Amino acid sequence: MAQLHWTLFPSSSLLLLLCLLPLLHASTGDSDPIYRACVDQCEKTGCVGKNCFQHCKFSSDGKSIDGPWYLQEPLYLRWKQWDCRSDCRYNCMLAREEEREQLGHKPIKYHGKWPFRRVYGIQEPVAVALSALNLSMQFHGWLSFFILLYYKLPLRSDKRTYYEYTGLWHIYGILSMNSWFWSAVFHSRDVELTEKLDYSSAVALLGFSLILSILRAFNVRDEAARVMVAAPLIAFVTTHILYLNFFKLDYGLNMKVCVAMGVVQLLVWAIWAGITCHPSRWKLWFVVVGGGLAMLLEIHDFPPYQGFVDAHALWHATTIPLSYFWWSFIRDDAEFRTSILLKKIK
């Protein structure tokens, strides 16, 4: 799948541009007659050259000779659902790319994806590792935010924080970690279920980030007003996710929804950063500008180096420091708002 991400903020960046491009079911490699012939032959014989696959062995009635393939595969491969067709496509792709490389041709995409090399059954090992690092950065940012609020800053008499956006940022942190988790799972194995979970978690994060940007930029503190802002957006995002999962995974519609939410969020944060007197607004600008530069990696897509590192994997790497600065801004905002409220009380 051709995945792109909008690098506005490290969390909501997790899949605005993922939403932008549809899954490319037809690619240049798919129509290559040599590749197609290899796959057809492999599905009949169970072999690509000297490589043969145990779960491609069939009897005359079409059943596997040695029982179901998942009983034959190593334990660490069973959950990934590799079957005869996927193994045939993968090995034919590698064989065809070796032939093309000898002829001096550049790599091409197969079924919407660059020719990545598996490691222990993982489709995109570098992207998985970087997604895991981003997940750890989100957890570190959220945990440091939690410690700051409840152990370093003053609390009210009822043990609640002075910071008015505490609960919202907690939800944001959980959704961010959830998105990076499913990003890692999706890059590990691209199937319909992992794709839908990846898309759904990304849309949920993007929608909530939009709500949070509006509430924070306009300093909405009244609960009734917050409900009036959040309710229609939550209803819209929920309906959209249900539509994608249970009616039709419409990539064109998803693109429009994500672009709309992303652009509005971008404008809200950018305008607020330009007019606010917040002492840490430079961190906000750093994330905005840094995210914009990182997006160039997605625009200028290139094949994976040695079959492992492509532009998208490098984008994952850039979001790690951006996440650090983003959570640093959130912590600074908590301290800033708490200090203002304490001065008013005194």
Side-chain angles (χ1 to χ4, degrees):
M1 175 181 149
Q3 261 192 322
L4 289 178
H5 297 48
W6 182 283
T7 47
L8 168 57
F9 301 102
S11 59
S12 58
S13 68
L14 181 64
L15 302 196
L16 170 56
L17 281 183
L18 162 113
C19 303
L20 293 189
L21 289 187
L23 179 64
L24 301 179
H25 291 285
S27 301
T28 305
D30 308 0
S31 58
D32 186 335
I34 298 177
Y35 167 77
R36 293 170 66 91
C38 175
V39 174
D40 291 340
Q41 183 66 19
C42 174
E43 291 183 347
K44 295 176 181 177
T45 64
C47 299
V48 176
K50 296 181 179 180
N51 296 326
C52 296
F53 319 113
Q54 194 166 20
H55 48 272
C56 279
K57 296 180 180 179
F58 301 103
S59 60
S60 58
D61 60 359
K63 295 182 179 179
S64 176
I65 294 176
D66 298 317
W69 69 266
Y70 53 80
L71 297 179
Q72 310 301 324
E73 292 291 346
L75 180 63
Y76 64 84
L77 291 179
R78 292 178 191 174
W79 70 276
K80 292 186 176 299
Q81 301 181 27
W82 295 119
D83 54 16
C84 182
R85 170 168 291 186
S86 60
D87 264 349
C88 285
R89 286 181 174 181
Y90 173 72
N91 285 276
C92 285
M93 175 189 72
L94 293 184
R96 182 60 181 138
E97 281 303 305
E98 289 179 2
E99 295 174 357
R100 289 175 51 81
E101 184 178 3
Q102 293 175 359
L103 296 173
H105 297 158
K106 295 181 179 180
I108 56 177
K109 290 185 177 182
Y110 297 81
H111 307 285
K113 298 179 74 70
W114 288 114
F116 287 95
R117 292 185 177 274
R118 298 179 191 167
V119 175
Y120 295 110
I122 297 175
Q123 277 186 301
E124 301 175 44
V126 174
V128 171
L130 292 173
S131 292
L133 284 175
N134 274 286
L135 172 59
S136 66
M137 286 299 300
Q138 292 295 330
F139 177 74
H140 174 270
W142 171 77
L143 183 61
S144 62
F145 174 70
F146 180 89
I147 293 173
L148 172 69
L149 286 174
Y150 293 98
Y151 294 96
K152 295 182 178 180
L153 294 178
L155 295 174
R156 299 177 187 270
S157 58
D158 57 0
K159 301 302 180 181
R160 292 188 299 112
T161 64
Y162 283 96
Y163 187 49
E164 312 97 317
Y165 304 95
T166 299
L168 294 173
W169 285 118
H170 283 326
I171 297 173
Y172 170 87
I174 292 170
L175 290 176
S176 296
M177 289 184 282
N178 178 67
S179 288
W180 282 115
F181 173 79
W182 289 116
S183 173
V185 172
F186 175 78
H187 285 299
S188 177
R189 179 66 171 110
D190 177 2
V191 295
E192 182 181 2
L193 176 62
T194 58
E195 180 187 27
K196 287 183 176 180
L197 288 169
D198 191 29
Y199 267 74
S200 299
S201 60
V203 172
L205 171 62
L206 193 59
F208 187 80
S209 297
L210 173 59
I211 294 171
L212 187 51
S213 67
I214 295 172
L215 298 181
R216 181 62 191 95
F218 289 94
N219 198 25
V220 180
R221 288 172 287 177
D222 181 71
E223 289 299 326
R226 288 184 175 187
V227 171
M228 291 177 65
V229 172
L233 289 173
I234 291 175
F236 173 77
V237 170
T238 302
T239 302
H240 180 64
I241 291 174
L242 292 174
Y243 178 86
L244 293 178
N245 282 275
F246 300 107
F247 184 72
K248 180 182 180 182
L249 190 56
D250 190 327
Y251 301 101
L253 173 64
N254 196 47
M255 176 188 69
K256 295 174 183 177
V257 170
C258 291
V259 169
M261 291 193 297
V263 169
V264 172
Q265 183 181 163
L266 170 64
L267 292 174
V268 170
W269 283 118
I271 293 173
W272 184 66
I275 64 176
T276 185
C277 296
H278 199 289
S280 296
R281 60 186 177 277
W282 69 271
K283 294 181 181 180
L284 188 58
W285 280 116
F286 177 84
V287 175
V288 173
V289 175
L293 293 175
M295 192 173 64
L296 296 176
L297 291 171
E298 295 287 13
I299 296 175
H300 300 287
D301 191 19
F302 56 82
Y305 177 72
Q306 297 296 316
F308 295 108
V309 182
D310 67 339
H312 184 67
L314 291 179
W315 177 86
H316 277 299
T318 64
T319 56
I320 294 173
L322 291 176
S323 296
Y324 175 82
F325 276 96
W326 182 233
W327 276 105
S328 177
F329 167 77
I330 295 170
R331 292 192 299 271
D332 290 349
D333 187 50
E335 292 187 82
F336 177 61
R337 288 298 306 167
T338 299
S339 65
I340 290 178
L341 292 173
L342 288 175
K343 289 178 182 179
K344 289 182 178 179
I345 294 175
K346 294 179 181 179

